[in-house]
Amino acid sequence: MNSLNWTFDTVADIYEKLRPGYVDELYQTIFEYKPINNTSSVVEIGIGGGQATLPFLKTGCDLLAVDYGENFCIICREKFKEFPNFSAVSGKFEDVFFNCEYDLIYSASAFHWIPEEIGYKKVYDILKDGGVFVRFANHPYRDKGKPALSEEIDRIYAEYYCKYHNKEPKPLIEYTEQQAYDRALIAEKYGFTDIQYKLFYRTRTFSAKEYIMLLGTYSDHIAIEETIRNEFFLKIEEAINRHGGEITIYDTIDLQLAKK
């Protein structure tokens, strides 16, 4: 997995447009746990297209974003140019030097790219006493209302994706509360306390063409050789069109909160 983190920056513009943001209730939960204002200093690990950034900037906090992709940093500097409290630096979080301590550090659908023992330890070290680490991510699950479509897409994945990556086909499994709980407890190993977690749910509906554009922002899909990838995506597009022209994705968003 860690060898694929370069892929996102190659599709930064599409990623910024198609990757989803997060629900309002998630931010309410974060700010109830750790109030943030214009005296607060915050770090975002893996800003991507800025899908999770605006609610933090609106608090008035000083926000430093770190992302491996220079194109993402360029996009977000322009996107948030009206916020003088925003800055972005390109580089791996593991390698970036931080010259102060922070009130809150968060990562949205990005922290899994960092080796656990390096990431959690560094976050802990650069937080102020009483500072908070926030980790959240979106976990999409394919259309529950169209099992025949989902089965057909599974067969396409077995033929193209699994063969290319030399993986055994596995059934798609919806993200569970147990997984969220287990992920939350990781922070305990690195000295964090007052650990909490919460799940949020939503649905998103895409046309066939929109859905394959979304798939084109996934690292392991980008890494497939272009000719094979194009045929793979065409087969999925055709399958969706045979089943009504739309696909609904059921998202589970997990949130973990932990205090230094």
Side-chain angles (χ1 to χ4, degrees):
M1 282 289 288
N2 286 336
S3 65
L4 295 179
N5 54 3
W6 59 271
T7 58
F8 297 113
D9 206 46
T10 67
V11 292
D13 287 326
I14 299 172
Y15 186 107
E16 189 272 332
K17 291 179 175 64
L18 288 178
R19 283 296 185 100
Y22 299 87
V23 296
D24 291 343
E25 293 81 4
L26 177 140
Y27 297 105
Q28 292 168 9
T29 302
I30 293 170
F31 297 142
E32 287 171 4
Y33 183 87
K34 177 66 174 178
I36 296 296
N37 56 38
N38 60 4
T39 68
S40 304
S41 55
V42 173
V43 171
E44 178 174 5
I45 302 170
I47 190 172
Q51 284 81 4
T53 309
L54 189 58
F56 289 93
L57 285 175
K58 284 182 174 179
T59 68
C61 70
D62 287 324
L63 195 155
L64 170 62
V66 178
D67 199 283
Y68 185 53
E70 176 59 31
N71 288 330
F72 279 132
C73 291
I74 292 169
I75 287 170
C76 290
R77 289 183 194 117
E78 175 64 23
K79 185 174 183 177
F80 302 120
K81 63 184 178 182
E82 72 270 30
F83 292 94
N85 52 324
F86 174 77
S87 59
V89 59
S90 175
K92 291 186 176 182
F93 173 71
E94 305 95 298
D95 300 332
V96 172
F97 173 74
F98 298 89
N99 60 4
C100 65
E101 294 181 326
Y102 297 87
D103 296 286
L104 184 145
I105 299 172
Y106 74 99
S107 186
S109 299
F111 203 67
H112 60 285
W113 291 106
I114 304 170
E116 176 192 310
E117 65 280 2
I118 296 174
Y120 277 92
K121 185 179 185 305
K122 186 164 186 176
V123 168
Y124 190 90
D125 288 345
I126 65 175
L127 278 172
K128 296 177 182 177
D129 288 341
V132 165
F133 178 45
V134 180
R135 178 178 180 175
F136 51 100
N138 186 56
H139 306 275
Y141 183 73
R142 206 183 302 135
D143 204 323
K144 298 178 183 179
K146 296 179 179 178
L149 170 60
S150 192
E151 289 171 7
E152 187 168 348
I153 292 176
D154 281 343
R155 290 193 291 272
I156 296 168
Y157 265 83
E159 182 179 351
Y160 291 93
Y161 175 94
C162 294
K163 280 186 180 178
Y164 186 85
H165 287 296
N166 195 27
K167 292 183 176 182
E168 285 293 320
K170 293 182 179 179
L172 196 64
I173 299 174
E174 193 168 11
Y175 191 80
T176 67
E177 184 166 356
Q178 183 64 49
Q179 287 174 288
Y181 172 77
D182 292 342
R183 178 172 286 181
L185 285 188
I186 295 172
E188 191 174 50
K189 295 193 293 183
Y190 298 93
F192 289 93
T193 60
D194 193 19
I195 294 166
Q196 300 180 23
Y197 76 96
K198 192 170 183 179
L199 297 178
F200 307 88
Y201 303 93
R202 69 176 171 201
T203 60
R204 295 175 288 145
T205 300
F206 299 90
S207 69
K209 197 164 292 292
E210 288 170 340
Y211 185 63
I212 62 168
M213 288 177 68
L214 175 67
L215 293 182
T217 69
Y218 293 159
S219 60
D220 48 357
H221 292 55
I222 299 168
I224 296 173
E225 190 275 324
E226 184 177 8
T227 303
I228 298 171
R229 184 174 71 243
N230 288 341
E231 188 174 341
F232 172 40
F233 284 179
L234 178 61
K235 294 289 186 182
I236 293 175
E237 183 177 1
E238 290 172 345
I240 294 170
N241 283 327
R242 280 196 299 273
H243 291 269
E246 290 185 338
I247 184 169
T248 298
I249 301 303
Y250 290 75
D251 289 332
T252 300
I253 304 169
D254 67 328
L255 167 67
Q256 289 87 31
L257 303 159
K259 191 171 294 182
K260 179 174 177 178

